Amino acid sequence: MADDMPANEQTWGGERFRRTPSWMIGQLSVHGYRLLTEQFAAEGTKPYEYRVLASLADGGPASQATLGRRSGIHLSDLVATLNTLADRGHIRRDPDPADRRRNIITLTDDGFDHLARLDIRLAAAQDALLAALAPTDRITLTDLLKRALDGLNARPGR
Amino acid sequence: MADDMPANEQTWGGERFRRTPSWMIGQLSVHGYRLLTEQFAAEGTKPYEYRVLASLADGGPASQATLGRRSGIHLSDLVATLNTLADRGHIRRDPDPADRRRNIITLTDDGFDHLARLDIRLAAAQDALLAALAPTDRITLTDLLKRALDGLNARPGR
DNA sequence: CGGATCTCAGCTCAACTGACATTT
DNA sequence: CAAATGTCAGTTGAGCTGAGATCC
């Protein structure tokens, strides 16, 4: 009856698309995001919040518009993220005296300390994601991912 | 003023998270899904529709519940997808005489032909996604992705 | 009756769009 | 005035939940 045999169809996996890079990358992306979210949640933090803190630490204080472009977070979403981070004292939002449209966003000492904890969580998520791979394979994979991605970002794309 | 220099902040890329596997995999996943969607759109088809056709071709006729489990599409989403495919004559939805709760979904000849065209589109999307990598690197990457993913799926995970 | 099947309506969450007031 | 900035309300789309009707 074509419906009986395979005993375990939950993990069937025979479809052709499951062997394609795009499918496997998509599945790994879901796992990666879940692992990351779980790790950050243990610190009471969401991925957007981490990205903002990391952008401030790596790129220095900036206006919201600049911060959005650097971190890849849309300005509208950034507003809510910054509200949360400001409430927790991880950032300061000061008016720019030189341009009254802008806020200057600055990482506080508390934010810097929190970021250090999040970086440990981030590393744990990477480790869980690539648990099946030996260290040298992880390096190889990271290099290949970087090259593939740089190639796509270099091209106009469309 | 910390806001002036870098000239091109659209592609800043200095943040620490942009070097992590989970970030790069996530970005590649977005590119991959976009490329796939564009390719399939040229045939008037959506990714869900392809997955159903491929599942039928690779696993044979099946009930909707079985098809959903095999293709990883939720039953509620599968209903709409099957409606579209049936309207186009790519599948047939026949009542199961042995169990009147079930529909038996079968790939039609038209559906089979359409799937062949989609497989070409799928290959084109893979090629575009990995355009920056040489053939041997693509094989290496595919192998590493498979091993990482199998490792995650093998573990209870949580 | 418990459990599977199909269907539909609605929810979640990240990402994005549009509109607005203010300032340059 | 055109353009940039910060804010808010609302939309999209994939994935998921819940409920109901039917049948085993």
Side-chain angles (χ1 to χ4, degrees):
Chain A
M1 221 135 294
D3 243 354
D4 304 345
M5 295 302 94
N8 185 359
E9 278 164 335
Q10 290 289 130
T11 50
W12 192 75
E15 294 92 350
R16 56 195 72 182
F17 57 83
R18 291 186 195 268
R19 301 300 170 208
T20 61
S22 66
W23 174 265
M24 293 191 288
I25 287 169
Q27 291 299 108
L28 273 178
S29 174
V30 171
H31 280 289
Y33 190 78
R34 176 182 51 80
L35 291 165
L36 203 71
T37 302
E38 289 171 359
Q39 286 291 327
F40 285 167
E43 305 285 347
T45 302
K46 295 180 178 178
Y48 270 16
E49 292 157 17
Y50 171 78
R51 278 163 66 183
V52 169
L53 294 176
S55 283
L56 287 170
D58 293 342
S63 70
Q64 295 186 197
T66 299
L67 196 52
R69 283 188 285 265
R70 282 204 319 228
S71 64
I73 298 174
H74 271 65
L75 297 189
S76 39
D77 299 317
L78 194 57
V79 171
T81 303
L82 291 176
N83 288 342
T84 302
L85 291 173
D87 287 347
R88 291 182 186 156
H90 291 156
I91 61 144
R92 280 188 301 113
R93 195 194 237 142
D94 302 309
D96 184 342
D99 185 339
R100 277 178 303 176
R101 291 172 305 179
R102 293 180 178 169
N103 298 324
I104 297 180
I105 311 299
T106 311
L107 191 62
T108 65
D109 289 348
D110 273 7
F112 190 84
D113 292 345
H114 190 64
L115 179 58
R117 284 190 288 276
L118 293 177
D119 275 326
I120 295 173
R121 298 288 185 175
L122 175 64
Q126 307 308 310
D127 193 63
L129 183 62
L130 305 182
L133 300 183
T136 55
D137 286 337
R138 298 185 190 190
I139 294 171
T140 303
L141 176 62
T142 304
D143 175 62
L144 290 172
L145 292 172
K146 180 182 185 316
R147 283 162 49 202
L149 191 53
D150 286 349
L152 287 169
N153 289 333
R155 300 186 163 266
R158 184 182 81 81
Chain B
M1 220 130 292
D3 243 351
D4 304 345
M5 295 304 93
N8 185 359
E9 277 162 334
Q10 289 290 131
T11 50
W12 190 127
E15 294 92 351
R16 57 194 72 183
F17 58 82
R18 292 186 195 270
R19 302 297 169 210
T20 62
S22 66
W23 173 266
M24 292 192 290
I25 288 169
Q27 291 298 108
L28 273 177
S29 174
V30 171
H31 280 288
Y33 190 79
R34 176 182 51 79
L35 291 166
L36 203 71
T37 302
E38 288 171 358
Q39 286 291 328
F40 285 167
E43 304 286 347
T45 301
K46 295 180 179 179
Y48 270 15
E49 293 157 15
Y50 171 78
R51 278 163 65 182
V52 168
L53 295 176
S55 283
L56 286 170
D58 293 342
S63 70
Q64 295 186 198
T66 299
L67 239 194
R69 284 187 284 266
R70 283 204 317 228
S71 62
I73 298 174
H74 272 65
L75 296 190
S76 39
D77 299 317
L78 194 56
V79 172
T81 304
L82 291 176
N83 287 343
T84 302
L85 292 173
D87 287 347
R88 292 184 186 154
H90 291 157
I91 61 145
R92 281 188 299 113
R93 196 193 236 143
D94 302 309
D96 185 341
D99 186 340
R100 278 180 302 176
R101 291 172 303 179
R102 295 179 179 171
N103 298 323
I104 297 180
I105 311 300
T106 312
L107 192 60
T108 65
D109 289 347
D110 273 9
F112 190 83
D113 293 346
H114 190 64
L115 179 58
R117 283 190 289 276
L118 293 177
D119 275 325
I120 295 172
R121 297 289 185 173
L122 175 63
Q126 307 308 310
D127 193 62
L129 183 62
L130 306 183
L133 301 183
T136 54
D137 285 337
R138 298 185 191 190
I139 294 171
T140 303
L141 176 63
T142 303
D143 174 62
L144 291 172
L145 292 172
K146 180 182 184 316
R147 283 162 50 201
L149 191 53
D150 286 349
L152 287 168
N153 289 332
R155 301 187 163 264
R158 185 182 82 82

